[in-house]
Amino acid sequence: MALTAQQSNLIARFNKLRLSGFADMLMNQFNNSAAYIEATYEDKLEYCLSAHEQYLGSARFLRLKKAAGLTDSITLNEISQKLPLGLDREQIRYLIRNTWIENAVENIIISGPCGVGKSCLANAIAIHACKSGYRTLFYKATELLEELAHKDNGDRIKYRNKLLKTSVLILDDFGIKRLSEEAIYELYLMLDSRYNKYPVIVTTQLKPEGLLSYLGKVSTRSEAIIERLCKPAVFINLIGDSKRPERRFTSDTSNDRK
């Protein structure tokens, strides 16, 4: 059904005002008037407003996901359909409720051997946080901390402030490589500034008791880091075999042919 000139003008004006969700629903009503014949004026307006609210939520989610640096789109609901060993549905429900982000801030420490799905789970938690409207950032732990340590003072302060404004910060592959003293200091400042305000999610192959030894010699600073990381924190220990596909190698015998 072709729109009238007046209807087309209305759609164009709503789009110009950046009310795209509203405009799309209004166009749907114009094109399918029979489906809305019993709807009141208020009903039609409600449909348009709801459509625009949904549009804004989707657009914000996509912006937050892109800014977070997330590449995987797997969700907590999808993970709950086939739970990895070490994760139960009560923990999934806890993560979905978001109380660990706002009401009673708790860090999330996901441990386990290589390939069991630690990063995948952290990514799914980040996807849910973005859908809930929380600003999220996903980093490889060593790369972030060493980069911070080697920035000049002005850039380092700006970067620290950026991290502090992030509701959910994910440090992936924590403990994969030894940190410099400067990077350990940045880790302390990061955890101290976020303590009881904003949570950190850490994925690691280290067991909880191995975190302190990873930071090197026992010192007041290393103990302070563990205190701020683990208290309070939720520990999820994934177990099982690696889920990564094995790489197959085949020998090239072409050079042996004569």
Side-chain angles (χ1 to χ4, degrees), residues 146-252:
E146 293 294 353
E147 182 182 350
L148 262 175
H150 291 92
K151 284 183 177 293
D152 62 51
N153 194 50
D155 288 340
R156 189 183 303 124
I157 292 173
K158 290 179 182 178
Y159 215 125
R160 287 173 185 164
N161 290 334
K162 174 186 175 181
L163 296 176
L164 184 56
K165 293 176 182 177
T166 301
S167 298
V168 179
L169 178 62
I170 299 173
L171 302 178
D172 190 38
D173 282 338
F174 183 79
I176 206 77
K177 183 180 177 183
R178 285 286 181 187
L179 295 173
S180 65
E181 284 297 320
E182 295 81 5
I184 290 175
Y185 178 61
E186 289 299 327
L187 176 61
Y188 166 74
L189 292 178
M190 178 189 299
L191 295 175
D192 186 59
S193 63
R194 298 180 66 84
Y195 189 64
N196 280 336
K197 298 175 185 175
Y198 304 108
V200 175
I201 299 174
V202 168
T203 74
T204 181
Q205 293 183 41
L206 299 172
K207 294 181 179 180
E209 57 271 22
L211 291 171
L212 184 59
S213 60
Y214 162 69
L215 295 173
K217 62 181 181 180
V218 177
S219 65
T220 303
R221 180 176 296 164
S222 60
E223 290 179 342
I225 288 173
I226 299 304
E227 184 80 10
R228 286 156 176 76
L229 179 61
C230 299
K231 298 179 182 179
V234 173
F235 291 85
I236 299 173
N237 183 41
L238 302 183
I239 57 178
D241 298 325
S242 174
K243 296 180 176 62
R244 293 194 177 99
E246 293 185 9
R247 183 178 298 174
R248 296 186 179 184
F249 296 92
T250 57
S251 58
D252 185 359

Side-chain angles (χ1 to χ4, degrees), residues 1-253:
M1 177 180 174
L3 299 181
T4 66
Q6 184 180 20
Q7 289 172 338
S8 296
N9 183 50
L10 284 171
I11 297 298
R13 289 167 69 185
F14 277 120
N15 279 319
K16 188 175 181 180
L17 291 170
R18 298 185 179 180
L19 298 172
S20 301
F22 194 106
D24 289 345
M25 175 52 71
L26 187 60
M27 182 181 291
N28 184 56
Q29 292 178 14
F30 289 155
N31 288 330
N32 302 280
S33 56
Y36 297 93
I37 195 168
E38 295 184 2
T40 65
Y41 175 82
E42 289 81 4
D43 289 336
K44 294 177 181 179
L45 185 60
E46 175 68 27
Y47 297 151
C48 289
L49 289 172
S50 296
H52 190 63
E53 287 172 346
Q54 186 174 4
Y55 170 84
L56 289 177
S58 297
R60 177 169 171 76
F61 163 65
L62 291 175
R63 287 197 304 271
L64 289 172
K65 180 187 175 186
K66 182 178 180 180
L70 304 176
T71 55
D72 200 339
S73 295
I74 192 169
T75 66
L76 287 174
N77 285 329
E78 290 174 293
I79 288 179
S80 70
Q81 301 306 308
K82 192 176 181 180
L83 289 170
L85 294 175
L87 181 67
D88 59 50
R89 284 190 169 78
E90 181 53 40
Q91 289 173 317
I92 290 286
R93 287 192 288 269
Y94 171 78
L95 294 171
I96 289 175
R97 286 196 293 268
N98 291 333
T99 54
W100 56 277
I101 301 177
E102 279 192 352
N103 300 344
V105 176
E106 291 186 292
N107 295 328
I108 309 292
I109 300 177
I110 306 169
S111 60
C114 181
V116 293
K118 301 183 298 296
S119 298
C120 180
L121 177 56
N123 196 102
I125 297 171
I127 288 287
H128 181 71
C130 289
K131 285 184 176 179
S132 301
Y134 295 105
R135 189 176 298 170
T136 305
L137 287 174
F138 191 107
Y139 289 104
K140 293 295 183 183
T142 303
E143 292 176 9
L144 171 64
L145 294 169
E146 293 294 353
E147 182 182 350
L148 262 175
H150 291 92
K151 284 183 177 293
D152 62 51
N153 194 50
D155 288 340
R156 189 183 303 124
I157 292 173
K158 290 179 182 178
Y159 215 125
R160 287 173 185 164
N161 290 334
K162 174 186 175 181
L163 296 176
L164 184 56
K165 293 176 182 177
T166 301
S167 298
V168 179
L169 178 62
I170 299 173
L171 302 178
D172 190 38
D173 282 338
F174 183 79
I176 206 77
K177 183 180 177 183
R178 285 286 181 187
L179 295 173
S180 65
E181 284 297 320
E182 295 81 5
I184 290 175
Y185 178 61
E186 289 299 327
L187 176 61
Y188 166 74
L189 292 178
M190 178 189 299
L191 295 175
D192 186 59
S193 63
R194 298 180 66 84
Y195 189 64
N196 280 336
K197 298 175 185 175
Y198 304 108
V200 175
I201 299 174
V202 168
T203 74
T204 181
Q205 293 183 41
L206 299 172
K207 294 181 179 180
E209 57 271 22
L211 291 171
L212 184 59
S213 60
Y214 162 69
L215 295 173
K217 62 181 181 180
V218 177
S219 65
T220 303
R221 180 176 296 164
S222 60
E223 290 179 342
I225 288 173
I226 299 304
E227 184 80 10
R228 286 156 176 76
L229 179 61
C230 299
K231 298 179 182 179
V234 173
F235 291 85
I236 299 173
N237 183 41
L238 302 183
I239 57 178
D241 298 325
S242 174
K243 296 180 176 62
R244 293 194 177 99
E246 293 185 9
R247 183 178 298 174
R248 296 186 179 184
F249 296 92
T250 57
S251 58
D252 185 359
T253 58

